[in-house]
Amino acid sequence: MSRTTVSSSAAIPPLPDEEQRLRELGYQPVLARRMGGFGNFAISFSVISILSGCMTLYGFGLGTGGPAVMMWGWAGVGLMVLFVGLALAEVTSAYPTSGALYYMADRLGGRRWGWYTGWLNLLGLLGAIAGIDYGAALFSGALLSMHTDFHPTAGSTFVIFLGILLVHALLNLFNVRLVSLLNSISVWWHLAGVAVIVGVLAIVPDSHQSPSFVFGEFVNDTGWDSPLYVCMIGLLLAQYTFSGYDASAHLSEETNNASVTAARGIVRAIWVSWLAGFVLLAGLTFAIQDYVGTQESATGVPPAQIFIDGLGTSGATALLLIVIVAQLFCGNAETAAASRMVFAFSRDNALPGSAVWRKVSPKTQVPVPAVWLSVGLAGVIALPSLYSETAYGAVTAINVIGITPAYAIPVLLRLKAGDRFQPGPWNLGRWSKPVGWIAVCWVAFVTVLFCLPQSSPVNADTMNYASIALAVVLVLATIWWFVARRTYNTPAAYGTDKEQAEIAEGIV
């Protein structure tokens, strides 16, 4: 599909024209280009993190359609997300910048398109940090409860969550080589982890569910009467997991040969996750010993109960550690991606206090203030979990309805641009339009779907707050537009060498 073929090895040297291409797009290079093709793929794969998304929402899937919807939903959603990834990768190849989605939308559709795409992308990225790290906190609490008198509560889980956020902030203050190294380790940890978990669950438990159960059992604990509606709501598990692959685009200014490797990293991360995730879900579901007992696990984490029932406490501890470490890798990668989005958006004066958030450490060439802002706002997004048992589902939905539309907007604008769009070296050729339209239609569908209530009756405890979060962000973005529209601009408006140098130094 790509017209250009290069190795994905991390040993690829920086190509001279990558820095020149960035200048042509209006930006003075200030970030260190130290990441190879494998590292770029690894960050998106780590953010997708099947050991995070599949595991943390597995309990949600057990009640919203059950095994049948989880398995076939994963297969179907994965295919549609691959279309979205292919279409987005093509536009990424043409515009390899840290701003990624909003910069693409700005160039193809104008300032307002870029503005709203940026705010949606930011909401999704921050929601992803919150969802990933809160999921890691849930699993950490489950592990503690197995070996101590600790009983997970909303408050104690939130304290663990804050601790994880702090760790990820500190790790991201080092140079991008550490982030790249951790993400490369994460790839093998995820793949080996899935192999170990599925292999152990296939061999050790005394009994297993039948194929007809795994691929055909439908369960509805939502309170809704419509099986079709329940099936659609159940797609959240897969759609939430398949998000964050724009991380490859956000790290493109730190990637060698980014016009090819960033695009390729997006697509590769999706299809590898698609295959490995299907195997993981099947392995978990075959190993269920007691369906209701798994749903009502005292650990608060259904996969932990599957491990305990099938392997005992010692075996369950080992597998939980595999999952928790994978979740920590995932949250670290998402923090890197979100901080680059904050940096890029501030570089174009789009955020309140942009002069602070766009500063880059001269020692590490890392946007340090942007890292702290990213984890701080992620903590705020997760605050409702202290008051509502259904808040975690809302946080994951915030990620989906924030980031997924942001994926489709550049694709839609690329389709509208026609011949005005100049493809990069990685492109779809004659398949560009059909793939693009499939991607846009799918995103429109899931965006509406995940604004809908997930449980019935709808009340304060079961309300899907994702729709409210989306509305609040759009209102705030609109209000701030009238404040910042004179200063917000992508670099065509302030592209002189002197002005770029001042921005790079944090003067402006």
Side-chain angles (χ1 to χ4, degrees), residues 1 79-91 267 270 407-408 411-412 414-415 426-443:
M1 233 170 248
L79 177 61
M80 301 309 294
V81 170
L82 186 58
F83 281 110
V84 179
L86 287 166
L88 182 62
E90 180 178 54
V91 189
V267 177
I270 293 171
Y407 292 159
V411 176
L412 175 63
R414 177 263 174 274
L415 293 168
W426 195 103
N427 60 82
L428 301 174
R430 62 191 178 91
W431 294 103
S432 180
K433 288 186 178 179
V435 169
W437 282 115
I438 292 173
V440 169
C441 291
W442 173 253
V443 168

Side-chain angles (χ1 to χ4, degrees), residues 254-339:
E254 296 161 85
T255 301
N256 300 323
N257 196 18
S259 296
V260 173
T261 51
R264 187 173 289 169
I266 290 172
V267 177
R268 186 177 298 169
I270 293 171
W271 72 256
V272 173
S273 299
W274 187 20
L275 297 177
F278 189 85
V279 173
L280 175 63
L281 287 173
L284 279 173
T285 310
F286 271 112
I288 293 175
Q289 305 297 305
D290 177 358
Y291 200 94
V292 175
T294 297
Q295 288 180 292
E296 299 175 354
S297 173
T299 67
V301 178
Q305 195 63 47
I306 294 175
F307 297 160
I308 293 170
D309 292 344
L311 312 174
T313 302
S314 297
T317 299
L319 295 193
L320 275 177
L321 284 173
I322 292 175
V323 174
I324 291 169
V325 172
Q327 292 171 333
L328 295 177
F329 276 130
C330 175
N332 189 64
E334 186 62 53
T335 301
S339 64

Side-chain angles (χ1 to χ4, degrees), residues 226-424:
S226 170
L228 177 60
Y229 185 79
V230 174
C231 286
M232 291 192 297
I233 294 298
L235 299 179
L236 176 61
L237 182 153
Q239 188 66 49
Y240 166 67
T241 305
F242 281 116
S243 63
Y245 44 86
D246 58 318
S248 289
H250 289 296
L251 272 291
S252 59
E253 289 185 34
E254 296 161 85
T255 301
N256 300 323
N257 196 18
S259 296
V260 173
T261 51
R264 187 173 289 169
I266 290 172
V267 177
R268 186 177 298 169
I270 293 171
W271 72 256
V272 173
S273 299
W274 187 20
L275 297 177
F278 189 85
V279 173
L280 175 63
L281 287 173
L284 279 173
T285 310
F286 271 112
I288 293 175
Q289 305 297 305
D290 177 358
Y291 200 94
V292 175
T294 297
Q295 288 180 292
E296 299 175 354
S297 173
T299 67
V301 178
Q305 195 63 47
I306 294 175
F307 297 160
I308 293 170
D309 292 344
L311 312 174
T313 302
S314 297
T317 299
L319 295 193
L320 275 177
L321 284 173
I322 292 175
V323 174
I324 291 169
V325 172
Q327 292 171 333
L328 295 177
F329 276 130
C330 175
N332 189 64
E334 186 62 53
T335 301
S339 64
R340 271 46 173 195
M341 171 60 198
V342 170
F343 158 75
F345 217 26
S346 298
R347 181 171 59 180
D348 292 331
N349 296 302
L351 295 179
S354 286
V356 174
W357 313 123
R358 66 178 175 229
K359 289 183 181 295
V360 175
S361 167
K363 182 178 180 180
T364 62
Q365 293 180 279
V366 168
V368 173
V371 171
W372 287 113
L373 182 64
S374 297
V375 297
L377 291 177
V380 172
I381 288 175
L383 279 174
S385 64
L386 290 170
Y387 310 102
S388 171
E389 293 182 359
T390 60
Y392 182 67
V395 169
T396 57
I398 285 172
N399 172 227
V400 171
I401 69 171
I403 209 166
T404 307
Y407 292 159
I409 292 172
V411 176
L412 175 63
L413 295 173
R414 177 263 174 274
L415 293 168
K416 293 176 64 178
D419 294 338
R420 185 167 58 86
F421 173 73
Q422 297 298 315

